[in-house]
Amino acid sequence: LQVSQQLQQTNRLLETTNSSLRQQLHLTMTQLGKKEEDLQGSRREVAQSQEALQEKQRVCQTTQEQLQACQSEMDKTKEDLQSKEVQRMTLEQRLSSMHDTLKPLFTCPLGDSCCPMGWILNERSCFYISYTERSWGESQNYCQSLSSDLATFGDISYYLFTNQNSASKMLMQISPPGSFWINYSFAKRRQQAQGKRGTGYYSQSSSC
């Protein structure tokens, strides 16, 4: 009887122990499950961080390639600029040399007014006097061959007879003196009238 009682007590003690162990086991399994979920969440976060890092690395690589391309383009631009600068300096030297060469061929009494050699500067205009006798039309063609035109004055009838025009004064001071064709309507009429009289075209010097 005593042994049976002891066995019953032992059984109750074992059941109590088993119940406690089962509870502890359940609690431990629950905690392990939560930790496993946390670990999986951490793994997902690590995976996302790795993907973000890889994307940043790709962006960084692309940026580096673009930077290298920009650097190469900048170096090429610098080389082009240096080449252009050399060309500019060369052209400036040639221009200066040409200016020195052509300077004796121009008369420049004023800083901003120059005329080719043989031309006369008058009131910022250049005049060329040809002593070869030609008709009015031939004189006009001759002046045009010089990239010019027959000299044109304002009211020629007033200026020639009153000597108030500096251009007419210039013509009167020319040595040797003479008469010159100008670009005026009565000059054409005079030429045509001479032609109608059968004497041929009237010939005299030209003023461009």
Side-chain angles (χ1 to χ4, degrees), residues 10 29 49-50 58 100 105 128-129 150 156 173 186 193:
T10 302
M29 291 179 65
S49 298
Q50 287 179 345
R58 286 193 294 269
D100 294 338
L105 302 179
Y128 180 79
I129 305 300
L150 280 176
I156 193 67
Q173 295 174 358
F186 78 81

Side-chain angles (χ1 to χ4, degrees), residues 33-49:
K34 184 177 180 181
K35 289 182 178 180
E36 185 177 4
E37 290 178 357
D38 294 340
L39 181 59
Q40 290 178 353
S42 298
R43 285 178 178 176
R44 286 192 296 270
E45 291 179 357
V46 170
Q48 292 176 355
S49 298

Side-chain angles (χ1 to χ4, degrees), residues 6 71 77 85 111 163:
Q6 289 178 353
Q71 185 68 31
T77 303
E85 181 65 19
N163 293 329

